[in-house]
Amino acid sequence: MALAERAASFVTQLGGMVQLTSASLVITFTRPPKWREITRQMFNFGVQSAPVVLLTGAATGAILALQMWYQMRQLGMVTAIGPIVSLSMANELGPLLTGIMVAARMGAAMAAELGTMRVTEQIDALRSLAVDPVRYLVVPRLIAGLVMIPLLTAFSIAIGILGGYIVAVHFKGVQAAFYWANTIRYTQASDVWVGIIKSAVFAVIIVIVACYKGFNTSGGAEGVGKATTGTVVVASVSILISDFFLTNILF
């Protein structure tokens, strides 16, 4: 595909996602869907994504504490491991890794589900029954993502700090009192809120990219596979790029 065609395709997809986002937000505040569908999607986001998100958070906190112990030991500053782990998890690693994990887990699942509905003409059938696909399919997922992804991020931050504590205190001999005292002293509530705000933006990115890719799937099973892969790639890259700008804005 020529460069001009790629640029035109990018602009078309970006415009389509902006249009889908604005339509979803308008419907959310004017004609919200039934809570039964929202709670079903919240279950999908929360329960199905929790194991991988919590495992990633715990492993990240533990690895970060271990790496910091090797670095700080040379400077005689092992008591600084606690705040380094907590601030890293709250500001960056917690929301970023949660967003990428959910994009891989739920984003791919949403794109596959909606893509299958698209190629089997179920979405066209909804329109023929005067059912708005955006209200019925996109808005419940958007609301569920906005609730559950920040919640998952909060749990990821907490378990990451706990993982760092276990490695630093129980495996490397850092005194527990110093670990917690310095963690509480240098970690502010605003640091956690930064992570929560970032995760809410990531939730919008994941849901909109997945739903847009699903709605525009073509080519049968092969097209569904491409939509799924494209969702993970586009959502993950968008999360990384938006994190750069959010960090500049929020600090």
Side-chain angles (χ1 to χ4, degrees):
M1 183 182 292
L3 182 61
E5 292 178 342
R6 287 180 180 274
S9 176
F10 172 77
V11 172
T12 301
Q13 292 189 43
L14 183 61
M17 290 180 193
V18 171
Q19 192 176 30
L20 183 60
T21 304
S22 60
S24 301
L25 291 175
V26 170
I27 293 173
T28 299
F29 292 106
T30 56
R31 295 184 297 129
K34 295 180 179 179
W35 276 103
R36 177 179 297 180
E37 181 59 19
I38 296 173
T39 52
R40 191 176 75 86
Q41 295 300 331
M42 289 172 68
F43 175 83
N44 292 338
F45 269 99
V47 175
Q48 295 187 11
S49 300
V52 66
V53 168
L54 296 181
L55 182 61
T56 302
T60 303
I63 294 169
L64 187 59
L66 186 61
Q67 182 63 36
M68 285 299 102
W69 185 82
Y70 287 118
Q71 302 297 326
M72 293 300 172
R73 182 183 58 171
Q74 301 176 15
L75 303 174
M77 296 176 61
V78 293
T79 55
I81 293 175
I84 290 174
V85 171
S86 63
L87 289 172
S88 299
M89 290 301 301
N91 290 330
E92 288 297 335
L93 297 178
L96 192 61
L97 293 176
T98 299
I100 292 175
M101 288 296 107
V102 175
R105 175 66 182 80
M106 283 304 301
M110 282 189 290
E113 181 183 0
L114 298 183
T116 303
M117 292 180 68
R118 176 66 178 176
V119 298
T120 55
E121 300 183 349
Q122 294 180 57
I123 293 177
D124 295 329
L126 288 175
R127 289 196 177 97
S128 67
L129 296 172
V131 176
D132 185 353
V134 175
R135 181 173 182 265
Y136 185 69
L137 298 173
V138 180
V139 175
R141 289 169 170 78
L142 182 61
I143 295 174
L146 283 170
V147 173
M148 297 309 298
I149 293 179
L151 192 60
L152 287 170
T153 299
F155 281 117
S156 176
I157 294 170
I159 201 166
I161 294 172
L162 181 61
Y165 166 82
I166 292 172
V167 169
V169 174
H170 294 285
F171 288 89
K172 294 301 179 184
V174 177
Q175 292 189 27
F178 285 118
Y179 185 96
W180 288 122
N182 287 334
T183 297
I184 295 171
R185 180 180 180 185
Y186 292 105
T187 306
Q188 307 297 321
S190 59
D191 296 309
V192 179
W193 276 113
V194 167
I196 299 300
I197 292 170
K198 284 184 175 182
S199 66
V201 176
F202 298 160
V204 175
I205 291 172
I206 293 167
V207 174
I208 294 300
V209 170
C211 291
Y212 178 82
K213 291 287 187 181
F215 276 12
N216 291 277
T217 300
S218 61
E222 183 181 355
V224 174
K226 289 181 178 178
T228 304
T229 305
T231 295
V232 176
V233 172
V234 173
S236 298
V237 172
S238 299
I239 286 171
L240 290 170
I241 294 173
S242 62
D243 184 59
F244 172 81
F245 291 103
L246 287 169
T247 300
N248 273 297
I249 293 171
L250 296 173
F251 284 94

